[in-house]
Amino acid sequence: MKLVFPADPVAVRGALKASMSGLTNLNLTIDERGVIEIVLAEVLNNVVEHAYAHHTSGVIELRVKRGADRLHFTVLDDGVPLPDDGLPETPSHSLAGPVDDLPEGGFGWFLIKELTQDLNYVRSDIRNRLDFTIALADTRVS
């Protein structure tokens, strides 16, 4: 599956819906669908909010390929690079205490790193490329 869409919040919502619809024939579990949706929402919204923060327009490309026991995702954009040209550090946050005392931000990359495997970021010329996989349940019959 390949989707190309404008880097704006409305288009991201549409692309997220289209990508999830495009995966229906894979017989994913509810948990797998939930993980995929959370990760894609975080990644795509990060592109809009940060890579294209100072641009009036931009495009995001999402590619998804099925592997034997996982899905391979590639997200491409021409926005600004990640700081220090690498994946951000994700400090651990204490979730104890009142919700109002939780720090703002930083949870998106934490979720992405926790829910994916093979996470890799590369900046080449003017293009950002984020690759990751999401493991699928073993559906083989014994």
Side-chain angles (χ1 to χ4, degrees):
M1 172 175 51
K2 177 181 171 181
L3 297 172
V4 179
F5 49 95
D8 69 64
V10 173
V12 165
R13 283 194 295 277
L16 186 57
K17 184 176 179 181
S19 64
M20 296 308 295
S21 294
L23 298 174
T24 56
N25 63 335
L26 298 181
N27 297 320
L28 301 171
T29 67
I30 291 172
D31 288 342
E32 290 166 342
R33 290 182 62 77
V35 166
I36 292 165
E37 194 163 13
I38 288 168
V39 170
L40 286 179
E42 288 295 336
V43 167
L44 299 177
N45 283 315
N46 276 346
V47 172
V48 171
E49 292 174 19
H50 301 290
Y52 288 116
H54 302 294
H55 294 74
T56 56
S57 65
V59 174
I60 301 171
E61 182 177 330
L62 171 64
R63 300 176 190 167
V64 184
K65 291 182 185 177
R66 172 74 193 249
D69 61 348
R70 61 194 62 244
L71 291 174
H72 302 270
F73 295 84
T74 299
V75 178
L76 301 157
D77 69 79
D78 297 330
V80 299
L82 284 171
D84 300 322
D85 288 327
L87 294 170
E89 294 292 323
T90 50
S92 60
H93 297 291
S94 172
L95 301 179
V99 172
D100 291 339
D101 292 343
L102 291 174
E104 178 66 29
F107 290 103
W109 278 109
F110 173 79
L111 285 171
I112 293 166
K113 287 180 177 182
E114 287 293 312
L115 298 174
T116 66
Q117 295 81 43
D118 310 314
L119 183 64
N120 186 51
Y121 168 77
V122 175
R123 174 72 175 195
S124 178
D125 294 323
I126 62 163
R127 189 146 252 222
N128 295 310
R129 179 184 178 121
L130 185 71
D131 293 293
F132 57 91
T133 60
I134 295 179
L136 302 177
D138 188 357
T139 57
R140 294 175 293 194
V141 178
S142 305

